[in-house]
Amino acid sequence: MAITAGVVVAGVAGWLLLSSGGTATPSEALGAPRFIEETASGIDHVYDGEFTFFVGGGIAALDCDDDNLLDLMVAGGANQASLHRNVSNLGGSLRFERVLSPVTDLDSVTGAFPLDIDSDGVSDIVVARLGENVVLRGLGDCRFERANERWSIDGGDAWTVGFGAIWEEGETLPTLAFGNYIRLDENGQQFGGCEDNMLLRPNGETYGDATALSPGWCTLSVAFSDWDRTGRTDLRIANDRHYYRDGEEQLWQIEAGQQPRLYTRDDGWQKMQIWGMGIASHDVTGDGKAEVFLTSQADNKLQTLVDDATGPSYTDIAIRRGVTAHRPFTGDEILPSTAWHPEFQDVNNDGFVDLFVTKGNVEATPGYAVEDPNNLLLGQPDGTFVEGAVDAGIVDFLPSRGATVADFNLDGLLDIVYVNRREPVRVWRNVETEVGNWISIDFHQQGVNPDAIGAWIEVQVGDITISHEIVLGGGHGGDQLGPIHFGLGPADTGRVRVQWPDGEVGPWLNVAANQFVTIKRGADQPQPW
C-alpha cells in the first residue's frame, strides 16, 4: 500500500523547508499546531466506576487489520472495554467504527497494551484488569482470541494498571511485567497495603510461574529501559505514595538467568516518594541516554543521570526545563494539579520533542484542582518547554486519564486521543499547515521480536542527533505499537541508524522527508510504504 502524505508543507519563521542539501539544522521552535475536535468520530465510550476505577483508563493504539491505520482499544472500568477500527480517509477527518466481540468487550479493564507476543506479525493485546489480566492473541482483521491458557499465562487476581515487556537474550517470548496497585479484600475494599508486582518470564514456548517483585508499593506504571546504554534492560516502577509509608520509586535490575534485584543506595539509587502515576522517557538533553518524566500530584519529575554516574544516580531538572506542570496553566484554579499520562512526541515537527500530559482530579480530592486542563508543553531549542495548549485549541476541564498521541489519518501530523473519567473519550485532529518536515518509520527484524522492542534509534538532522528508545509500557494504562514519528524541522532528509535489541548497530540510512518508510534489519535502504 503506497502512502502519500496529505499535509501541505509550508515555510515558517525564515526556514527553507525544502532545502536542496537536506542538512538544515532545526534552530527555531514552532508554535503550537492547531487542532480541531472530532469527538463525534465514532468512539462513543466512557471510562466509569467507583473507587477501584479512580485510576486507569488507558488506550492501546495498534494496527489490528493491517491497513497501516492505527486502531484503538479503550479501557472501560465499570463499563465494557471497546475496540474501534480506524476507517479514516487519508489526510481527512478521523473516523472509527466499533468492533463488537465478547473477546474484547471485557469488563473491569483498567488498561490495554499492544504487543506481538508470538512474533507472528499480528499484534496481540495485554489487557490489565481489576481481577484476572487477560492476554488476547491477534488473529488478523481486528479479531482476537483469549490466549492465557495457550501461553500458560497466570493473569492473577490483583488490581493491575501498569504493564511493560521486553525480550531477554535467547528467549522467543517476551518477559512480561505487571504493575499491581492496592491490595483489596473479597468485597473490593482496601486491605493490608499494596500488592506485589509480578514478572513473567518464558519457559520455552510458554511461561513459567510468576516471580513476585516484592515489596510492591502500589504501582501505577512500569517500563523497561536500557537507561545507561549498557545493553541491559532494567525495570522502572512508579508508585503511589498515598498508600504506603516506607515505600519509594523503584528500579529493578533484570539480568538474563538471574533473579531480579532492587537497586539500592549502594548502587547510587536515591529514595524518592511521589504520587507516581505515569512514566515517559526521551533523550531530552542530547547525551544519548533517556531522561525519565514521572507524573504525580503537584510535583512532576524530569530525571536525568548525574554527570559521570556509574549507577542509577539521578537528579531532577523539571524546574530548569519548565515541565513541573504543577498547577493549572489557565482558568481560576490555584490548587495543585494531578497528572496521569505523559507522552513525548513532536507535535509540530520542528525537530524539538514536545510533551503531552493528561490531568484530572482523582475524584473529589480536597486540596487539588478540579478544573485541571491537560498540558501540551512545546520543546524549545535550548531544551526548555513552554505551554501551548491554549494556542493549540485543546483546552478543556474534564478529568482525563490515559491517552495516545499518534498520526491516525497518515497526513504526517500527530493527533491526540484521551480518556476522561465519567466523560466521553476526546478526539483531536491536528490540522496545522505551517509545520516542519517529518519522517515516520516502522522498524522490523526477522524472527523473534519483529517490532524491535528495546532498540535505540538515532536520527541526525543537520547538527542535531535525536535518540529514541523503542519502549513497550509506561504511560498510564496504555501504549501504542506502530511507526515512530520524528520531526525534522527545516531539513528535507534525516540520517537514521538503528542499534537493534541485541546491540548490533546498523548503517546510517538516508530517509527523505515527509514519507512513511520501513527500515528492515540488514537492508541497505529504507522501504517506502
Side-chain angles (χ1 to χ4, degrees), residues 221-234:
S221 187
V222 306
F224 288 97
S225 176
D226 180 6
W227 55 272
D228 58 355
R229 299 299 299 269
T230 61
R232 183 193 60 254
T233 305
D234 295 327

Side-chain angles (χ1 to χ4, degrees), residues 60-83:
L62 68 158
D63 180 9
C64 62
D65 55 4
D66 198 27
D67 65 354
N68 293 319
L69 295 170
L70 290 176
D71 312 294
L72 296 172
M73 183 170 179
V74 188
N79 296 327
Q80 289 182 333
S82 60
L83 180 66

Side-chain angles (χ1 to χ4, degrees), residues 305-322:
L305 285 168
V306 301
D307 292 340
D308 300 321
T310 57
S313 182
Y314 285 87
T315 186
D316 184 50
I317 58 172
I319 294 177
R320 275 183 281 159
R321 298 289 178 156

